[in-house]
Amino acid sequence: MSQTVVPPPGSTQPADPPRRQKVSEGKRAERKLAWLLCAPAALVMVAVTGYPIAYSIWLSLQRYDLRFPDQREFIGFDNYITVLSNGYWWNAFWVTSLITVISVVIELVLGMALALIMHRTLVARGLVRTVALIPYGIVTVVAAFSWRYAWTQDTGYLAELVAPESALLTERAPALAIIILAEVWKTVPFMALLLMAGLALVPEDLLKAASMDGASAWQRFTKVMLPVMKPAILVALLFRTLDAFRIFDNIFVLTAGAQETSSVSMITYSNLIRGLNLGIGSTMSVLIFVAVALIAFIFVKVFGTAAPGSDDRGRR
Amino acid sequence: MAEIVLDKVSKQYPDGALAVSDVDLTIADGEFIILVGPSGCGKSTTLNMIAGLEDITSGELRIDGERVNERAPKDRDIAMVFQSYALYPHMTVRENMAFPLRLAKVDDKTVRAKVDEAARILDLTQHLDRRPSNLSGGQRQRVAMGRAIVRDPKAFLMDEPLSNLDAKLRVQMRTSVAKIQKKLGTTTVYVTHDQTEAMTLGDRVVVMRGGLVQQIGSPQFLYEQPVNLFVAGFIGSPSMNFVPARLENSSVSSPLGNFPLTDRIRTLLEDADAPREVIMGLRPEHFEDATLLDDTAMSGGATFESTVDVLESMGSDKFAYFTLEGEMATSAELEELAADAGASDLSADGTQIITRLSASSQAKEGHPARIWFDTDKIHLFDPHNGRNFTYAD
Ligand SMILES: Nc1ncnc2c1ncn2[C@@H]1O[C@H](COP(=O)(O)OP(=O)(O)OP(=O)(O)O)[C@@H](O)[C@H]1O
Ligand SMILES: [Mg+2]
């Protein structure tokens, strides 16, 4: 934010932006120590994340199908061309994006509502919170199976209730809707928890002041609460978007990717583990990695989401 | 501008705590009224009920003759200044001040004009585009004031608006609050903890204790005619001296010596049917160094002699502290006052007395001094219920 205001004499001036000064001797020693102290952790990080990433990239540049191990050779970006010009990949990509966007939007709305309820309840607060968190506590695969049974034609109670005549999980649009439903059901509590932490950041006095200033409940929510908790909302959205983009278990259980409901993770799994095509599979996982990194980058740079842990926007 | 009437207003919180009971108060149009009292006595609760931020359990609140108990805060047209300032961190100073006007759908031009005007009054013009987080405490306080005054509300409510400022700034802001209120002539209810603010700011002061109104009156009146021991001890700084005393025929025996009652006090006591054991109160300024007075001046009072414990010279006058022999005066009120002041003078045995002497007094620390006091200025209180027998309205 650029400020052209001249502060009045005597008023405390906002601190100058850090100047690139020559680093003093002591400072330098301190920095060196800091690096040394971080080194062990950094090494572990490199070993457990850097190495697999590098190895994936290396694999993605080769023709490497375990069924035909003799044909292994370095082929540069050929795999990328294969994948990016493939209809299945793009279908999976759009399905994943659709699921991500829709489920995150719904989760945000419902999560906010749930957070407000949990924040406001005065009686049996602990009980309400515990109950709300149950879906998040259930193993996804288990929950996905119960959704699958519920939606199976003839035997499932939800299928019976909603559309007894058709097998919803075998049609594309309804199947996607059910996947989104399962995803939303599972993660709304998590969203609500993150948002509740944000709600706690909104001082009670601020809301009182807003009502005195003439704001209705809705205006208090939109004009005071949301802007003040914006950092928390962005962090919650970032977490959820990254998570949702890697959706796997719900789809695996509910449709196994049939009727073109595969996500990018699904299709990667099919190629890598089922198809044993290490080259193509690795290419896909590298592409997922790039997409996720891009999402994070957009959130942090464009929306100004404070990276979790850094504390310079959240503070007032 | 509005008249605000509290008619037997009570507040019971859901957990059963009775925070305010049966407050009767008529605040005249344009009046500046102060609510004071120790912590937890229900000042904020009273203010919040006027604001509409707390429901009224029983009784009626009327603004300009109209019952407003059920009205939402936004429909009462009252502005409030909070102790925490409650500025919107995501808005600039200008947006903060404009917020109530924007909500009221005032057109842009008027908003601009009003905000500029308020900023000028409050000397905030050069800060309009900054954010609250970049302002000093005093500037934030002024923005909070500005947000209240831009909309020209029927009344201002202020809950300890200056208590987060340092002492010097508080004095400055106190004066500007008074000026602004005089200038705008808006009915104001002001909650404070601070003696000086209570005495200097308001047209009238309401002293509260444990949810009950103790006394309402002009600061001077409360100072001179406290209705009970609590008000007497609460108003005034340094506070009134209290010593146990015995009434015998028409004279008093106390750690300050024995002396006859003046006619005025005797008459008041006869009407009041006072017990023999009482608590006597006397303000520090009603003492004087006896060596500075001639006989005629001395005749209207009595003297005692004691060693000066501590002498503080303030330039304009001197405060001399004494410890007199005998029991301390005890009562529930006095204990509560001591607790609120945070000063537990339990260290000394005997009775502590603070006197204010002329600057020309020759009294010295550790040396005996003869002190005169005005026996017509004494107050006599019932030790059980704190009633002031010498109160005459
Ligand atoms: N939300 C609440 N629920 C229950 N009791 C409350 C609540 N708010 C206040 N009280 C009680 O009501 C009484 C009056 O509180 P109030 O906040 O009005 O005091 P106050 O005079 O403003 O004190 P202070 O000078 O410390 O601000 C206190 O005993 C307090 O414990
Ligand atoms: Mg209070």
Side-chain angles (χ1 to χ4, degrees):
Chain A
M1 260 156 287
S2 65
Q3 277 160 0
T4 48
V5 182
V6 184
S11 75
T12 44
Q13 290 199 335
D16 287 333
R19 257 174 267 144
R20 299 214 174 271
Q21 289 168 333
K22 273 189 84 176
V23 189
S24 71
E25 199 57 34
K27 261 267 159 38
R28 203 173 308 152
E30 202 170 284
R31 258 187 219 171
K32 199 170 153 201
L33 178 68
W35 280 112
L36 282 176
L37 290 174
C38 290
L43 280 178
V44 172
M45 285 277 283
V46 168
V48 300
T49 65
Y51 173 71
I53 291 173
Y55 189 56
S56 297
I57 294 175
W58 170 237
L59 284 179
S60 74
L61 299 176
Q62 303 180 28
R63 177 183 303 135
Y64 193 7
D65 191 329
L66 284 185
R67 288 170 303 177
F68 312 105
D70 316 340
Q71 297 174 9
R72 178 173 181 180
E73 66 173 305
F74 185 87
I75 52 168
F77 286 97
D78 275 9
N79 279 334
Y80 288 86
I81 295 169
T82 313
V83 171
L84 289 176
S85 57
N86 179 293
Y88 286 112
W89 165 262
W90 284 110
N91 179 61
F93 183 83
W94 293 121
V95 165
T96 310
S97 304
L98 182 84
I99 293 176
T100 302
V101 170
I102 297 184
S103 65
V104 169
V105 167
I106 299 177
E107 280 161 21
L108 178 65
V109 174
L110 294 184
M112 181 61 88
L114 188 60
L116 284 172
I117 292 170
M118 294 200 285
H119 188 67
R120 291 280 156 206
T121 31
L122 299 172
V123 284
R125 195 179 270 236
L127 186 72
V128 171
R129 290 184 187 181
T130 313
V131 169
L133 276 175
I134 288 176
Y136 191 62
I138 296 176
V139 179
T140 315
V141 174
V142 174
F145 268 109
S146 67
W147 283 111
R148 191 171 106 187
Y149 295 139
W151 288 108
T152 304
Q153 198 182 13
D154 296 336
T155 53
Y157 68 99
L158 286 174
E160 193 67 26
L161 205 69
V162 178
E165 298 307 316
S166 51
L168 293 177
L169 283 173
T170 62
E171 291 169 44
R172 191 176 187 221
L176 283 177
I178 291 170
I179 290 168
I180 290 174
L181 173 71
E183 189 71 3
V184 166
W185 179 81
K186 184 192 69 174
T187 46
V188 160
F190 177 66
M191 193 69 149
L193 263 197
L194 289 179
L195 293 176
M196 211 165 68
L199 278 178
L201 289 179
V202 184
E204 203 57 36
D205 270 1
L206 221 54
L207 299 174
K208 286 187 185 172
S211 9
M212 294 308 296
D213 283 345
S216 64
W218 178 249
Q219 286 169 324
R220 288 202 292 279
F221 179 66
T222 55
K223 292 190 194 286
V224 179
M225 230 186 229
L226 286 185
V228 172
M229 60 186 291
K230 184 179 148 208
I233 294 177
L234 284 175
V235 167
L237 281 181
L238 172 64
F239 280 11
R240 275 307 307 145
T241 310
L242 296 187
D243 250 9
F245 196 80
R246 294 172 303 161
I247 181 171
F248 178 79
D249 21 17
N250 265 322
I251 298 179
F252 185 80
V253 173
L254 284 168
T255 67
Q259 276 77 45
E260 310 197 310
T261 52
S262 274
S263 68
V264 284
S265 299
M266 250 335 264
I267 197 171
T268 306
Y269 167 83
S270 305
N271 279 285
L272 195 64
I273 310 292
R274 286 232 198 106
L276 299 177
N277 191 336
L278 297 189
I280 295 288
S282 298
T283 306
M284 288 176 167
S285 47
V286 170
L287 287 173
I288 295 176
F289 174 76
V290 170
V292 165
L294 214 62
I295 294 173
F297 181 82
I298 290 173
F299 266 97
V300 173
K301 288 295 170 204
V302 181
F303 298 128
T305 310
S310 76
D311 188 19
D312 82 297
R313 297 196 108 236
R315 217 187 311 165
R316 252 161 296 123
Chain B
M1 319 286 131
E3 181 195 62
I4 301 173
V5 179
L6 286 83
D7 187 358
K8 298 239 171 312
V9 168
S10 299
K11 173 72 189 184
Q12 187 158 25
Y13 279 107
D15 65 0
L18 186 63
V20 171
S21 60
D22 282 341
V23 170
D24 275 317
L25 176 62
T26 302
I27 305 164
D29 185 12
E31 190 172 22
F32 197 141
I33 204 146
I34 309 271
L35 302 182
V36 277
S39 192
C41 71
K43 306 180 295 285
S44 298
T45 306
T46 308
L47 203 71
N48 288 342
M49 284 193 289
I50 300 176
L53 295 171
E54 291 284 358
D55 290 332
I56 294 170
T57 311
S58 69
E60 193 170 81
L61 173 70
R62 290 188 292 271
I63 298 180
D64 279 337
E66 222 179 314
R67 179 187 163 96
V68 296
N69 287 37
E70 288 77 22
R71 258 194 228 167
K74 71 188 183 71
D75 302 321
R76 295 192 187 189
D77 193 18
I78 287 177
M80 187 153 171
V81 179
F82 293 82
Q83 179 177 355
S84 61
Y85 313 140
L87 301 180
Y88 308 118
H90 55 291
M91 299 182 194
T92 62
V93 169
R94 176 185 291 283
E95 288 163 344
N96 261 284
M97 298 211 285
F99 190 62
L101 298 174
R102 296 251 179 251
L103 289 175
K105 302 254 186 303
V106 176
D107 65 284
D108 283 356
K109 222 178 107 199
T110 323
V111 170
R112 223 188 152 74
K114 290 202 169 189
V115 170
D116 285 342
E117 164 75 4
R120 200 182 47 74
I121 296 177
L122 292 161
D123 196 14
L124 283 170
T125 310
Q126 69 269 58
H127 306 299
L128 278 175
D129 295 315
R130 300 174 71 184
R131 276 179 203 265
S133 52
N134 299 338
L135 298 179
S136 72
Q139 290 162 348
R140 284 179 208 190
Q141 212 288 327
R142 297 206 299 268
V143 177
M145 292 281 299
R147 196 172 59 187
I149 67 179
V150 280
R151 38 185 283 227
D152 230 339
K154 283 186 180 164
F156 294 138
L157 305 179
M158 308 192 189
D159 195 347
E160 312 203 20
L162 307 183
S163 57
N164 281 353
L165 301 179
D166 60 50
K168 197 171 156 196
L169 210 51
R170 202 178 314 165
V171 174
Q172 267 174 29
M173 278 309 293
R174 196 174 73 214
T175 329
S176 33
V177 168
K179 267 193 210 146
I180 289 168
Q181 199 274 343
K182 283 278 164 312
K183 186 171 159 174
L184 302 173
T186 308
T187 314
T188 302
V189 186
Y190 186 107
V191 167
T192 180
H193 226 101
D194 186 290
Q195 269 297 317
T196 334
E197 283 174 29
M199 294 302 284
T200 54
L201 276 176
D203 299 321
R204 281 195 301 161
V205 175
V206 179
V207 183
M208 295 184 70
R209 173 189 174 217
L212 292 166
V213 169
Q214 302 290 304
Q215 192 174 2
I216 305 175
S218 70
Q220 195 60 32
F221 185 77
L222 293 194
Y223 190 78
E224 284 165 4
Q225 296 285 351
V227 74
N228 61 28
L229 191 53
F230 182 80
V231 178
F234 194 80
I235 301 287
S237 172
S239 58
M240 191 183 269
N241 296 296
F242 295 106
V243 295
R246 241 178 114 77
L247 297 178
E248 277 160 13
N249 302 322
S250 48
S251 70
V252 181
S253 77
S254 75
L256 293 176
N258 299 347
F259 55 89
L261 291 169
T262 61
D263 291 341
R264 182 183 75 89
I265 290 172
R266 193 164 44 231
T267 330
L268 287 169
L269 280 183
E270 274 162 14
D271 298 341
D273 188 23
R276 288 168 67 85
E277 302 290 340
V278 293
I279 292 175
M280 182 173 93
L282 195 54
R283 295 215 180 267
E285 63 270 30
H286 296 136
F287 293 87
E288 187 52 280
D289 188 337
T291 54
L292 301 176
L293 299 171
D294 56 26
D295 285 348
T296 41
M298 298 254 281
S299 64
T303 58
F304 70 95
E305 214 172 291
S306 182
T307 311
V308 180
D309 282 343
V310 177
L311 190 84
E312 293 170 349
S313 181
M314 310 295 286
S316 55
D317 37 37
K318 287 178 175 165
F319 286 104
Y321 295 69
F322 299 91
T323 307
L324 300 181
E325 291 189 6
E327 293 290 297
M328 275 192 357
T330 50
S331 84
E333 282 90 345
L334 290 179
E335 273 165 32
E336 199 178 322
L337 286 167
D340 188 56
S344 42
D345 284 353
L346 299 175
S347 51
D349 40 10
T351 306
Q352 296 282 323
I353 296 284
I354 305 175
T355 64
R356 198 172 102 191
L357 313 176
S358 300
S360 51
S361 163
Q362 297 300 311
K364 282 194 189 65
E365 236 170 63
H367 291 272
R370 206 157 76 88
I371 302 295
W372 170 91
F373 57 93
D374 188 342
T375 51
D376 196 42
K377 289 289 180 357
I378 62 167
H379 296 271
L380 297 171
F381 303 94
D382 190 325
H384 302 296
N385 58 20
R387 198 180 123 204
N388 186 357
F389 297 120
T390 46
Y391 173 77
D393 56 310

